[in-house]
Amino acid sequence: ELKVEQNPLFLSMQEGKNYTIYCNYSTTSDRLYWYRQDPGKSLESLFVLLSNGAVKQEGRLMASLDTKARLSTLHITAAVHDLSATYFCAVDASGSARQLTFGSGTQLTVLP
Amino acid sequence: GAVVSQHPSRVICKSGTSVKIECRSLDFQATTMFWYRQFPKQSLMLMATSNEGSKATYEQGVEKDKFLINHASLTLSTLTVTSAHPEDSSFYICSARGDTGDGYEQYFGPGTRLTVT
């Protein structure tokens, strides 16, 4: 059974600071997703990482994937309040989006 | 492209009644749709996978007689919560699997907030 672990579960950070969220998973997979969820809303797709060494950046967020270490990271640079949300990683065990297993989520609060 | 809608967005029902939630892929055909449930402060848990024209596959612990799933067309799947009870109150999110041209992805709907009183 595929297990996906995120840490930390809760993260409070000051505006302007940098931090990294980690996503570890237990079986081989080449496809990993990062989503953002605002309170009361559904998932917003942030990144799709499709191969070992993949790195994608959008604004203050950068995601990377190391399939050998079974690890993905979501790095936040110079955080702003608008980034406050819950972030989920999800691993595709099927390789074709037939089965996503979600991490427990990281609730990020950016403080002024 | 790749838009998934859900209806209703929010529903309140009395205990013992049934509620139907619709999930539609608006601009693509989805041979597979997924239903997830999310309790407050928790992650998404897959309830079932439905393929067009065939019976849904339910995850362990999900009662198939309570959560009826129908996937009658390539753009529509429905989830009916039968004899709802307060413990069924949750955020239900569907996703539809479609081909983007670069491969298949799951596209998520906006969710349905169910409150059972």
Side-chain angles (χ1 to χ4, degrees):
Chain A
E1 180 188 347
L2 172 60
K3 295 189 185 301
V4 181
E5 295 186 353
Q6 265 182 258
N7 68 83
L9 299 182
F10 300 94
L11 175 56
S12 289
M13 53 191 300
Q14 297 285 335
E15 277 191 330
K17 298 293 188 181
N18 304 332
Y19 209 84
T20 300
I21 299 170
Y22 298 89
C23 176
N24 291 273
Y25 54 99
S26 61
T27 63
T28 302
S29 173
D30 290 334
R31 292 166 65 102
L32 189 139
Y33 303 82
W34 284 97
Y35 296 95
R36 168 181 172 144
Q37 187 178 38
D38 292 299
K41 303 291 186 182
S42 187
L43 302 182
E44 173 190 351
S45 179
L46 294 175
F47 301 109
V48 180
L49 303 170
L50 299 177
S51 61
N52 186 41
V55 177
K56 290 194 174 180
Q57 182 165 5
E58 181 72 34
R60 301 174 187 274
L61 301 178
M62 183 173 71
S64 66
L65 177 62
D66 182 343
T67 59
K68 294 179 181 178
R70 298 177 185 170
L71 170 68
S72 180
T73 61
L74 180 66
H75 187 73
I76 303 156
T77 302
V80 293
H81 179 70
D82 286 351
L83 289 179
S84 297
T86 299
Y87 294 85
F88 292 96
C89 64
V91 178
D92 181 358
S94 71
S96 60
R98 287 188 182 277
Q99 183 178 357
L100 299 185
T101 302
F102 284 82
S104 51
T106 297
Q107 185 177 322
L108 171 65
T109 303
V110 181
L111 305 171
Chain B
V3 178
V4 176
S5 70
Q6 276 183 249
H7 179 80
S9 59
R10 187 179 296 267
V11 58
I12 301 173
C13 71
K14 292 187 183 298
S15 186
T17 61
S18 296
V19 173
K20 180 185 285 189
I21 303 169
E22 291 186 350
C23 177
R24 293 182 185 273
S25 57
L26 298 185
D27 49 5
F28 66 100
Q29 293 185 331
T31 53
T32 307
M33 289 186 171
F34 306 84
W35 288 95
Y36 296 85
R37 180 168 52 183
Q38 185 181 33
F39 291 110
K41 304 294 185 183
Q42 295 188 23
S43 187
L44 277 72
M45 297 300 296
L46 180 65
M47 298 175 66
T49 302
S50 73
N51 292 296
E52 185 262 340
S54 63
K55 290 185 178 180
T57 301
Y58 291 81
E59 296 299 301
Q60 194 172 8
V62 177
E63 300 174 59
K64 60 181 66 176
D65 294 332
K66 180 171 186 60
F67 298 99
L68 302 180
I69 293 172
N70 183 278
H71 191 163
S73 77
L74 287 172
T75 60
L76 173 64
S77 176
T78 59
L79 167 67
T80 301
V81 183
T82 62
S83 187
H85 288 97
E87 57 265 31
D88 299 322
S89 298
S90 187
F91 193 45
Y92 292 87
I93 304 174
C94 74
S95 72
R97 179 175 176 266
D99 186 356
T100 65
D102 292 322
Y104 284 88
E105 298 295 346
Q106 284 191 32
Y107 300 95
F108 287 85
T112 296
R113 175 81 53 195
L114 170 63
T115 304
V116 185
T117 62

